[in-house]
Amino acid sequence: MNVLLIGSGGREHALAWKIAQSPQLGKLLCVPGNTGTARHGHNVPFPLHDFDILIDVAQRERIDLVVVGPENPLSEGIADRFIAAGIPVFGPTAAATRIESSKAFAKEIMAEAGVPTAATHVFNTPSEAAEFVRTSGSAWVVKVDGLAQGKGVVVPDTVEATLAAIEQLHHDIPEQALLLEERLVGREISLLALCDGSRLMVLPPARDHKRVGDGDTGPNTGGMGVIAPVDDVSPDQLDMIIKTCLQPTINTLAARGTPFRGVLYAGLMLTETGPRVLEYNARFGDPETQALLPLIEGDLLEALYGCATGNLQIEKLRCHKGYAVCVVLCAAGYPERPRKGDVIRGVEAVDDDTVIVFHAGTALGPNGLCTAGGRVIGVTGIGSTLRQARERAYECAADIRFDGKHYRSDIGKEG
């Protein structure tokens, strides 16, 4: 089976690493790929937005499956284009991707499906949103409706901070509707499910760490680290989340004529009154993928193809009972102004099947491997216990060196 993998981050390196283990793989092309994906396939340096070129490459190379990593190409209809060309795609159509690209649409789907979520109000102008906040006299979570690369959500503590967030988000991301959402209290988890349009297979629950500093301090980022699974979700809770949240969402999208084929990613809050969906994403998370894929046993490629063709064989994929901890190593200046070009040392010295190094923002320069993005490397430790996985990840993280390197020291510590 010939595969075209779309994307260039740590998520795509993890996918390339796992896909390459399939005995069914013929050739793997990565567009544009990164330093890590080049170890498992062949990087093709074409732009993601030129769908005509990508379709031409896929047809010329006799691609049997396209796997799309990032959300932007999905929201722009890349899956629709490949499907129209007769090439199976792991990734939802633009209509189904609206579950992520429009938070207002996602809330509409949740209401129709009866999914428990936070109370939400949608406003077309910042003045209407501000007037609602003043009248309510309460603080609200402020979100922009569309895609914002993780920068479209603010969680204020006061009315004044809520008003300031409305003004700031409208300034930074104008011409988008604003959502004011009830602030929920609890512990967050990420739950990802492979979907073939009607059936789904849920991966182990994970917990992302978004803020840049220890103790959840500092600005939000794309993700500083992940643990999987999380032990504060019981099997009964997991089953309830599937039955009350994920499956009804898949059923509703199918009933609307927009079946979801890909990864449905639910961000949930575990509240005292039960789980509540905070948001949906329409693709693998990053860095969640770097912690989850090492826990999967079986042929991931076969499962991805089954999702793309509406024939997911759930029983052929399983997850082992271990733990994974991914620690993200970041460049100097991240997340505000990440510095590029710092030489990276120590990666090649990692020679342990209990630790996996995933490349995200790296490049090969005149002096060897160097930083080329904000989140540079994800180090994933595997162990039979969370503590063991954590120790292995941090030992390796300390051995990888580059100027300005910083990372959180508390990923998985609360476990």
Side-chain angles (χ1 to χ4, degrees):
M1 193 182 303
N2 297 328
V3 178
L4 178 63
L5 175 62
I6 305 291
S8 62
R11 164 183 51 213
E12 285 72 36
H13 184 190
L15 283 165
W17 169 81
K18 192 65 178 177
I19 288 170
Q21 297 171 23
S22 171
Q24 299 189 48
L25 179 66
K27 58 186 172 185
L28 174 62
L29 302 183
C30 307
V31 179
N34 64 22
T35 313
T37 62
R39 301 182 178 190
H40 308 289
H42 177 66
N43 288 350
V44 183
F46 288 138
L48 296 186
H49 62 269
D50 196 328
F51 297 167
D52 290 333
I53 289 180
L54 297 181
I55 291 171
D56 181 64
V57 169
Q59 291 174 332
R60 187 172 64 249
E61 298 292 338
R62 300 183 183 277
I63 294 298
D64 300 293
L65 176 67
V66 177
V67 179
V68 185
E71 62 271 28
N72 282 337
L74 289 169
S75 69
E76 294 164 3
I78 190 170
D80 304 72
R81 292 292 305 276
F82 277 112
I83 292 169
I87 302 171
V89 184
F90 180 83
T93 62
T97 301
R98 289 188 69 205
I99 199 76
E100 175 174 3
S101 62
S102 171
K103 294 181 178 65
F105 175 78
K107 290 290 183 177
E108 179 183 317
I109 293 294
M110 286 186 239
E112 186 174 330
V115 173
T117 185
T120 305
H121 304 272
V122 182
F123 300 92
N124 292 319
T125 67
S127 59
E128 292 173 339
E131 179 60 28
F132 176 85
V133 171
R134 293 189 187 96
T135 302
S136 72
S138 302
W140 294 79
V141 178
V142 186
K143 299 181 177 182
V144 295
D145 181 48
L147 298 175
Q149 278 68 56
K151 299 177 182 178
V153 179
V154 180
V155 186
D157 294 315
T158 65
V159 169
E160 292 72 21
T162 304
L163 294 172
I166 291 170
E167 183 177 344
Q168 186 64 50
L169 283 179
H170 177 67
H171 176 269
D172 294 343
I173 312 172
E175 300 180 359
Q176 284 200 23
L178 292 169
L179 284 75
L180 297 179
E181 189 173 276
E182 169 194 11
R183 183 167 181 172
L184 300 175
V185 177
R187 291 171 67 79
E188 289 190 44
I189 64 165
S190 303
L191 197 59
L192 283 67
L194 305 181
C195 308
D196 70 355
S198 59
R199 290 162 294 185
L200 54 84
M201 177 189 173
V202 175
L203 304 182
R207 177 163 289 128
D208 191 10
H209 298 64
K210 286 291 187 186
R211 293 189 180 273
V212 73
D214 285 4
D216 289 328
T217 58
N220 271 333
T221 71
M224 297 294 294
V226 173
I227 64 172
V230 292
D231 290 333
D232 50 357
V233 181
S234 69
D236 287 343
Q237 278 184 307
L238 188 60
D239 189 55
M240 180 181 67
I241 292 170
I242 295 169
K243 291 179 178 178
T244 63
C245 300
L246 300 186
Q247 193 65 60
T249 299
I250 293 298
N251 294 346
T252 299
L253 287 170
R256 285 183 167 218
T258 56
F260 189 100
R261 293 178 174 174
V263 174
L264 183 66
Y265 171 142
L268 298 118
M269 184 74 78
L270 304 179
T271 75
E272 289 185 352
T273 57
R276 299 287 184 272
V277 174
L278 297 173
E279 64 178 6
Y280 280 123
N281 292 331
R283 36 73 193 183
F284 277 109
D286 190 348
E288 287 91 344
T289 310
Q290 300 171 50
L292 289 171
L293 293 192
L295 296 177
I296 292 179
E297 295 179 345
D299 191 337
L300 179 67
L301 175 55
E302 184 178 21
L304 300 182
Y305 187 78
C307 290
T309 56
N311 187 32
L312 174 62
Q313 303 295 314
I314 297 171
E315 66 280 359
K316 291 188 177 183
L317 210 61
R318 60 194 179 280
C319 299
H320 65 67
K321 296 180 180 180
Y323 290 80
V325 174
C326 176
V327 177
V328 177
L329 312 184
C330 300
Y334 180 78
E336 288 86 1
R337 294 181 179 85
R339 189 172 71 200
K340 300 179 180 180
D342 290 310
V343 176
I344 303 169
R345 296 181 174 85
V347 173
E348 298 302 331
V350 178
D351 186 18
D352 188 337
D353 58 7
T354 63
V355 180
I356 310 161
V357 175
F358 292 116
H359 292 253
T362 68
L364 291 175
N367 298 315
L369 192 67
C370 62
T371 62
R375 292 184 293 169
V376 180
I377 284 172
V379 180
T380 299
I382 310 297
S384 58
T385 66
L386 180 62
R387 180 178 180 179
Q388 190 179 62
R390 187 173 185 273
E391 288 175 350
R392 288 169 174 168
Y394 275 107
E395 286 172 4
C396 179
D399 290 339
I400 296 173
R401 306 176 303 281
F402 53 89
D403 289 344
K405 179 188 78 172
H406 65 97
Y407 57 96
R408 283 183 59 162
S409 66
D410 62 346
I411 306 299
K413 188 175 182 180
E414 79 282 2

